[in-house]
């Protein structure tokens, strides 16, 4: 990514572009990688806007953990018969690398994928990490243990990504940034729904989902009955499936991303925008019954809309006017963000002034040009609207009080 941005800096003018007006957009794992750019000294001044959809905002793994993964490769080589070194290390000589490469290519691919996991313990015993690592991302915290909480998309290291985005305000490279970098952090109401047709947990009865959550929180986090009641209360007005999807998504994505926006807003070089979508696609609704799929705002929905529902249209599936309205709202907000325009109306700007009573403080924050921490853009019912206050504040406050805000998507 950094190499691509360097190429753009050096060459884009030849194509009529402006190297001082570069926007980076990433979603999901791509959003996580894009988010790493703001804490990379190597990416300073290579972009001016960053739009991040549904990222893993917590970088908890470092390069030493990555080195450990690399050392474990020796066990893979031994099991496949591609390494005969007695010290369990990997030779760095070009001859040795070429031999290992040729040997691995000769291993039957079907056998390799079914028998070799990317993670091996020091004793050489194959561990079934493949079915565990990252599996907890779209489920209740610690359902798959600590291994299920990990993925390792981005590693913090001394050179490329030198800190977690949450610590950006103390990053040493900030003083080298020219001007200000605009950062948009966006997520969806039901981020932990990755596949509408293959849910592990489906709920049509409110008592069943509440009892399930009580069981999980009581056994895993040792919460008292009063604490569990406090946790559930902000969600009980929702349909059964949305209680589960919204709560787990708040724990994994919404509330951690709120906290990250707060941390980044402390940086003197960044303006932070926060976008939240609560309306789902028409095809996630079923009006014939009390459905578990009623307007599910699933992971990737915003990206589908942004790029014009091409896959859906190509397969002949319907796209309704409400879907197109959401797309227009999203595209309009992103265009304004990229072009540095006001994302909300003058009327909304005026109403926002009461949030910050000191005019100088309001101007220091960039007025309504910076939508955090005073407000958010909420995309609801296909229409964008400006809302004051912190998004999902009551729900996120409860999670924080119960110390359940530590389980956001992580690397």
């Amino acid at each position: 990514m950094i190499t691509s941005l360097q190429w753009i800096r050096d060459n884009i003018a030849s194509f009529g572009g402006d190297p001082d007006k570069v926007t980076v957009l990433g979603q999901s794992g791509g959003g996580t990688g894009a988010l790493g750019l703001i804490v990379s000294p190597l990416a300073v001044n290579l972009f001016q806007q960053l739009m991040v959809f549904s990222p893993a905002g917590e970088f908890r793994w470092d390069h030493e953990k990555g080195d450990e993964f690399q050392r474990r490769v020796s066990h893979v080589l031994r099991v496949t018969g591609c390494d005969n070194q007695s010290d369990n290390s990997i030779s760095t000589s070009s001859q040795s690398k070429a031999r290992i490469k040729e040997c691995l290519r000769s291993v039957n691919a079907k056998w390799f994928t079914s028998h070799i996991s990317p993670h091996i313990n020091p004793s050489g015993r194959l561990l079934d990490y493949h079915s565990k690592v990252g599996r907890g991302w779209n489920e209740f915290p610690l359902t798959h243990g600590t291994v299920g909480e990990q993925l390792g998309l981005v590693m913090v290291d001394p050179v490329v990504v030198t800190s977690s985005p949450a610590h950006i305000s103390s990053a040493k490279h900030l003083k080298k940034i020219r001007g200000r970098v605009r950062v948009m952090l966006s997520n969806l109401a039901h981020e932990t729904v990755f596949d509408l047709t293959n849910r592990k947990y489906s709920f049509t009865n409110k008592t069943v989902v509440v009892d399930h959550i009580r069981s999980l929180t009581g056994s895993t986090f040792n919460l008292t009955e009063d604490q569990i009641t406090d946790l559930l209360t902000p969600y009980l007005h929702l349909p059964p499936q949305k209680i589960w999807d919204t709560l787990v998504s708040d724990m994994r994505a919404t509330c951690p991303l709120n906290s990250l926006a707060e941390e980044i807003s402390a940086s003197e070089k960044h303006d932070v925008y926060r976008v939240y979508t609560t309306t789902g696609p028409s095809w996630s609704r079923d009006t014939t019954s009390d459905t578990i799929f009623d307007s599910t705002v699933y992971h990737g929905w915003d990206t589908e809309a942004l790029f014009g529902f091409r896959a859906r249209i190509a397969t002949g599936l319907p796209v309704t006017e409400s879907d197109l309205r959401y797309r227009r709202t999203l595209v309009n907000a992103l265009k304004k963000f990229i072009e540095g325009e006001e994302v909300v109306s003058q009327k909304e700007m005026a109403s926002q002034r009461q949030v910050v009573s000191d005019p100088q403080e309001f101007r220091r924050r960039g007025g309504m040009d910076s939508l955090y921490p005073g407000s958010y853009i909420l995309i609801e019912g296909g229409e964008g609207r400006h809302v004051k206050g912190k998004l999902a504040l009551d729900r996120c406050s409860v999670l924080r009080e119960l110390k359940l805000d530590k389980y956001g998507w992580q690397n």
Side-chain angles (χ1 to χ4, degrees), residues 115-134:
H115 289 80
I116 304 296
S117 169
H119 303 281
I120 311 296
N121 74 353
S123 67
R125 180 172 59 86
L126 296 181
L127 298 180
D128 189 23
Y129 271 37
H130 183 71
S131 63
K132 297 178 181 178
V133 171

Side-chain angles (χ1 to χ4, degrees), residues 183-389:
V183 180
M184 176 180 284
L185 300 177
S186 176
N187 81 288
L188 310 172
H190 308 131
E191 284 285 7
T192 54
V193 181
F194 279 56
D195 186 351
L196 283 173
T197 62
N198 188 28
R199 290 175 184 252
K200 182 173 181 179
Y201 299 106
S202 297
F203 300 99
T204 57
N205 183 287
K206 187 170 291 189
T207 300
V208 173
V209 66
V210 168
D211 288 346
H212 184 63
I213 294 172
R214 284 185 179 277
S215 174
L216 288 172
T217 52
S219 61
T220 305
F221 299 103
N222 298 316
L223 297 186
T224 67
E225 281 298 315
D226 287 343
Q227 289 174 322
I228 296 173
T229 298
D230 290 341
L231 172 66
L232 288 168
T233 297
Y235 302 91
L236 293 179
H237 68 286
L238 299 170
Q241 188 64 38
K242 282 191 176 181
I243 290 176
W244 175 261
D245 291 339
T246 308
L247 170 60
V248 179
S249 296
D250 280 352
M251 298 174 80
R252 294 305 199 179
T254 303
C255 299
L257 209 57
N258 284 357
S259 297
L260 180 60
E262 204 165 331
E263 296 291 344
I264 296 178
S265 71
S267 165
E268 297 180 355
K269 292 291 187 176
H270 295 84
D271 292 322
V272 183
Y273 294 69
R274 184 73 172 88
V275 178
Y276 184 66
T277 299
T278 61
T279 184
S282 59
W283 55 86
S284 73
R285 304 186 187 106
D286 182 354
T287 59
T288 62
S289 64
D290 183 12
T291 175
I292 60 173
F293 299 139
D294 180 34
S295 191
T296 302
V297 197
Y298 59 83
H299 184 79
W301 152 237
D302 47 2
T303 309
E304 287 184 46
L306 180 61
F307 290 96
F309 313 107
R310 292 183 181 181
R312 190 167 182 83
I313 293 172
T315 54
L317 297 173
V319 176
T320 68
E321 175 56 32
S322 66
D323 301 324
L324 295 174
R325 185 168 62 248
Y326 167 70
R327 180 179 188 273
R328 289 193 294 269
T329 300
L330 179 63
V331 170
N332 184 55
L334 298 188
K335 280 184 176 179
K336 289 183 176 181
F337 173 80
I338 292 172
E339 295 168 1
E341 297 180 6
E342 298 163 357
V343 185
V344 294
S345 69
Q346 292 289 337
K347 181 179 179 180
E348 289 168 328
M349 287 178 65
S351 67
Q352 175 61 15
R353 291 184 182 275
Q354 60 184 307
V355 175
V356 182
S357 57
D358 181 0
Q360 290 186 344
E361 174 69 2
F362 183 80
R363 285 193 294 273
R364 188 188 70 79
R365 294 186 183 182
M368 267 317 301
D369 193 41
S370 178
L371 294 178
Y372 195 87
S375 60
Y376 294 80
I377 294 226
L378 174 69
I379 299 180
E380 186 174 55
E383 301 293 341
R385 66 186 179 90
H386 175 223
V387 291
K388 292 182 287 187

Side-chain angles (χ1 to χ4, degrees), residues 28-41:
S28 193
T32 303
L35 191 57
L37 292 173
I38 67 171
V39 282
S40 175

Side-chain angles (χ1 to χ4, degrees), residues 391-410:
L391 181 148
L393 180 61
D394 56 339
R395 307 196 310 253
C396 294
S397 295
V398 171
L399 290 177
R400 182 172 296 183
E401 289 172 5
L402 297 177
K403 299 182 179 179
L404 296 178
D405 61 335
K406 310 296 184 184
Y407 300 96
W409 284 340
Q410 61 171 289

